[in-house]
Amino acid sequence: MTDRVKRALLSMQRHNWEQGVTAQAFLEAGDEDVAIALALEGANRQHADGRCCHIAESTACTDPCAVGEALIFAAEKTGDPFLAAAKNRLLHWAMHDAPRSPSGVVYHFQQGQLIWVDSMYMLPPFLARAGEFDEAMRQLDGYWATLYTLDNGLLAHQWSDEEHRFFRRDAWAVGNGWAMAGMARVIALLPENHPGRARLISRVKALIEAVLPHQMDDGAFHDVLDDPTTFREVNFAQMLAYTIYRGVAGGWLDAALLPYAEKARAAALAEVDAYGLVRNVCGAPHFDKPGVAPEGQAFHILMEAARKSLSL
């Protein structure tokens, strides 16, 4: 099944963050040659300012960094100076040139002063993989402080610094999935004694505790986690399962969470069709209804790779 999902993913058109999460999926699945090829194409499409995977004149700031970990791996594995230079330019963008809030949080776009929960996956893992541990934590701390909502214990989707209000307060399921998966990756990359590690573990645990009451009987979730009138979708189920599998394998989540991951996984596996497409994820291109999406394909691969590490 996973081979079908991989083939379908490689056939799909991809924007910058989709190229990044695709490269990360193949990297974590052990398909190193494919991950390198995807990273190379991201470097081939590098904007003059350092942003990778640049198509359609995107103004995104953090999405082009989603390929960062695979790009570092590719540069190290091949010794190719072109890839090393691309990595350095992307890192310079992330560390110095990307537009930021007054507190130093990188905005999602070059205009509008918007902070998106998606950025918790797109940027901090790249920074951590590059050895910029404190900056990775600075970004995660800032996103969490901006988007965490006490009333439901979940993360809102978008905040506007320009308007000083939530641009979208909804607890978008996939957005919370980006956050927990991104934090799981950074936890694995931080040194054991880094003070931010315990903080991230506590946050992932709190987020999982907040989302589990919203799991449906079949293992799936609603598009907005705490709004049962929104559509049923399964990419967040994959993201949750991935996070739990990685956390249990890493020794920082309790194995008692595994039945929830298995239930979520079952809901997602049931949606894979004969073409290898994971149906009824939050669908591209507008993510406003169930459909298919490169990120839905990628998280199937990531979920299965994480589960494999537990020998379940």
Side-chain angles (χ1 to χ4, degrees):
M1 180 186 293
T2 299
D3 285 344
R4 293 205 313 273
V5 173
K6 288 177 179 178
R7 285 194 296 271
L9 173 55
L10 289 173
S11 75
M12 299 171 87
Q13 297 186 51
R14 295 185 295 276
H15 288 288
N16 42 26
W17 81 93
E18 295 165 332
Q19 183 78 357
V21 70
T22 297
Q24 187 64 29
F26 280 94
L27 181 62
E28 293 190 25
D31 297 304
E32 295 182 357
D33 289 348
V34 179
I36 290 170
L38 289 161
L40 176 61
E41 176 60 4
N44 285 337
R45 293 181 176 270
Q46 188 167 41
H47 192 276
D49 61 19
R51 290 175 297 151
C52 285
C53 312
H54 191 71
I55 61 173
E57 296 307 311
S58 171
T59 65
C61 298
T62 61
D63 286 346
C65 299
V67 77
E69 186 174 347
L71 182 58
I72 293 173
F73 171 83
E76 293 175 347
K77 185 77 172 180
T78 65
D80 187 335
F82 172 75
L83 290 170
K87 179 267 291 183
N88 290 338
R89 287 192 295 269
L90 182 61
L91 186 60
H92 189 275
W93 161 262
M95 293 289 293
H96 303 290
D97 293 341
R100 298 167 184 265
S101 73
S103 62
V105 178
V106 175
Y107 290 129
H108 200 72
F109 297 109
Q110 290 174 295
Q111 76 286 340
Q113 298 181 3
L114 292 172
I115 293 172
W116 282 30
V117 70
D118 312 42
S119 293
M120 295 179 73
Y121 184 91
M122 308 306 167
L123 176 60
F126 169 49
L127 295 170
R129 180 63 176 82
E132 299 291 348
F133 304 122
D134 292 343
E135 183 62 18
M137 282 305 309
R138 180 188 187 191
Q139 295 304 316
L140 286 173
D141 286 343
Y143 292 129
W144 186 270
T146 302
L147 298 169
Y148 182 72
T149 51
L150 281 172
D151 60 331
N152 59 12
L154 301 169
L155 292 161
H157 187 193
Q158 302 168 9
W159 169 265
S160 170
D161 261 0
E162 188 174 42
E163 300 179 19
H164 302 287
R165 66 176 181 88
F166 283 111
F167 199 74
R168 186 191 183 198
R169 197 180 188 280
D170 291 343
W172 182 40
V174 169
N176 280 264
W178 286 127
M180 63 173 60
M183 287 189 287
R185 286 175 61 196
V186 174
I187 289 166
L189 291 164
L190 287 176
E192 287 280 341
N193 61 350
H194 193 284
R197 193 170 183 275
R199 193 154 69 247
L200 291 184
I201 291 170
S202 176
R203 288 173 183 167
V204 173
K205 288 179 177 178
L207 206 51
I208 290 173
E209 183 177 350
V211 305
L212 288 181
H214 303 294
Q215 189 170 33
M216 300 166 68
D217 289 343
D218 69 354
F221 292 82
H222 291 283
D223 179 57
V224 175
L225 285 164
D226 55 354
D227 184 354
T229 68
T230 60
F231 62 84
R232 171 191 177 276
E233 78 93 40
V234 300
N235 194 28
F236 176 71
Q238 297 182 135
M239 294 165 133
L240 173 67
Y242 167 81
T243 303
I244 291 174
Y245 293 144
R246 285 204 65 162
V248 173
W252 50 268
L253 282 182
D254 194 318
L257 291 170
L258 286 174
Y260 297 101
E262 291 287 275
K263 185 177 179 181
R265 174 178 178 265
L269 293 184
E271 299 292 347
V272 180
D273 70 10
Y275 299 105
L277 292 167
V278 185
R279 298 284 180 180
N280 289 314
V281 302
C282 188
H286 302 298
F287 303 97
D288 57 353
K289 59 181 180 291
V292 298
E295 61 200 48
Q297 301 293 118
F299 265 96
H300 171 99
I301 299 165
L302 287 162
M303 173 182 70
E304 293 299 89
R307 186 177 186 271
K308 188 176 180 180
S309 70
L310 289 167
S311 302
L312 292 178

